[in-house]
Amino acid sequence: MKLHSGNDEEETLLQGINKYRTSLNLTALTKNENAECLAYEFADQFKNQPCTNSTGANTVSGSEPQLPNYPNLLAECHLNISNTKGGNIMPACVPGLTPSLVLSNFTQSQYSESLNDTKYTGVGIGSEGNWIVVVLSTSTPDGSYVTDNSASLLSKISFTYYLLFSLMGALVMF
């Protein structure tokens, strides 16, 4: 799993979202490192897309950009679809990532409905270029973004077999 240190835009957005939620008498969101990993993976995928009226918070529901490599993004963070389907991925494109505009893109758009929802307890934020992505997680199994240990174990087993195969090939040559 790729770990990123939070940057100013992300920290400022998290503080703003939590102030927003507190003003609505909702609990503050806590950082979820696995959701943050996925947020960075999404931001990285979007970074070369221009900001338009059909991207980010302005997107008409149902017309969001589709990522055919979603399973690969989950694998990068050792996540499984079964523990992410209850979460919410919200990308926004804001030229220069101006903090006040970034916050309003989440609190004064279709995304505010999700930010107002008490089922969300955690958050991961990632940014690349003009894109910032908020991933909301829940405390339930289907939205917890817990690490999929079986994927991690499978990659370790595959790597072990690869090493053994390589070693056997080297021994045959001698």
Side-chain angles (χ1 to χ4, degrees), residues 72-131:
N72 295 339
L73 301 180
L74 291 175
E76 283 291 324
C77 298
H78 307 291
L79 294 169
N80 187 307
I81 188 72
S82 65
N83 55 23
T84 61
K85 64 184 175 185
N88 194 349
I89 300 168
M90 305 182 302
C93 191
V94 179
L97 295 180
T98 306
S100 60
L101 293 176
V102 169
L103 182 60
S104 66
N105 261 269
F106 289 97
T107 60
Q108 298 174 14
S109 72
Q110 64 184 4
Y111 292 152
S112 66
E113 188 176 320
S114 296
L115 291 177
N116 298 349
D117 196 328
T118 57
K119 78 176 179 180
Y120 296 114
T121 57
V123 64
I125 302 173
S127 63
E128 290 286 341
N130 290 324
W131 286 89

Side-chain angles (χ1 to χ4, degrees), residues 4-67:
H4 300 268
S5 58
N7 63 33
D8 290 342
E9 292 92 2
E10 295 153 19
E11 287 299 319
T12 301
L13 179 58
L14 178 58
Q15 290 172 6
I17 287 173
N18 279 333
K19 284 180 186 175
Y20 170 79
R21 283 179 58 96
T22 301
S23 75
L24 299 172
N25 294 319
L26 300 171
T27 58
L29 299 171
T30 58
K31 284 188 178 183
N32 180 320
E33 286 184 8
N34 296 327
E36 181 177 300
C37 177
L38 191 59
Y40 271 104
E41 291 297 326
F42 266 85
D44 189 53
Q45 293 294 306
F46 290 134
K47 72 180 173 191
N48 293 322
Q49 289 187 25
C51 295
T52 68
N53 285 339
S54 63
T55 59
N58 296 323
T59 305
V60 175
S61 189
S63 67
E64 297 88 354
Q66 300 298 311
L67 294 174

Side-chain angles (χ1 to χ4, degrees), residues 143-155:
S144 62
Y145 288 79
V146 295
T147 303
D148 182 8
N149 291 327
S150 63
S152 179
L153 178 62
L154 183 60
S155 65

